[in-house]
Amino acid sequence: MDDRGRLEGFLGIDFSFGEKGHYHMSQERYTTKILRKFKMENCKPAATPAGKGIQLLSNNNTETDDTKNYPYREAIGGLLYLMTATRPDICWTVSKLSQYLNNPGKPQLEALKRWFRYIQVTKHYKLTFTQSRGNLTGYCD
C-alpha cells in the first residue's frame, strides 16, 4: 500500500473535504451521466421518488413496444450502484423497481421515469462524515 495523496475520486464516487474535518462522498457526476444516458437530463423535476398511490403489480401481459425497447435492466443496474454507494435514501424505491426486471410493464416504466425526475432534483445529495476522537478501524476479507 502506498500514499497517493488526498482521495478525490474513485469508481464514480467523488470525495471532498470540508471545514471542521468533514468528509463528503457524492455521485453527482455519475448521476448526471445516468440521466444523460437514459435521455432524462432535461426532465421535469419531482420532489418525491414515487407518486401518491402508486401500484406496482406483476405484469402478466406481454411487453408493450414502450417497455420492450427501453433498457429497463440497464437503468436499474445504474441505480443500484448509486443506491449502494452514496444514496441509501432511495433504497426502497430501487429495490421495489428491481423486482420487475423480467417483465416490466407500463406502471414500472412510469415509476422508473418518475424516479429519474427525483434524482434530477437530488443529484447534489451527498454523504457527510465527521471526525471523531476514536480510532478508525478498517476490516477486509
Side-chain angles (χ1 to χ4, degrees), residues 76-94:
I76 295 298
L79 300 179
L80 282 169
Y81 180 65
L82 183 64
M83 174 192 80
T84 57
T86 60
R87 296 291 303 269
D89 61 315
I90 61 172
C91 184
W92 186 87
T93 306
V94 175

Side-chain angles (χ1 to χ4, degrees), residues 12 14 26-38 40-41 78-79 82 86-87 90 115-116 118-125:
D14 295 320
S26 74
Q27 286 185 290
E28 187 170 353
R29 286 186 306 128
Y30 178 77
T31 304
T32 301
K33 183 179 172 183
I34 289 174
L35 290 168
R36 190 176 308 120
K37 182 174 189 172
F38 296 102
M40 296 293 287
E41 70 269 18
L79 300 179
L82 183 64
T86 60
R87 296 291 303 269
I90 61 172
W115 192 88
F116 279 132
Y118 173 71
I119 66 164
Q120 173 71 356
V121 175
T122 62
K123 64 183 172 184
H124 66 280
Y125 281 14

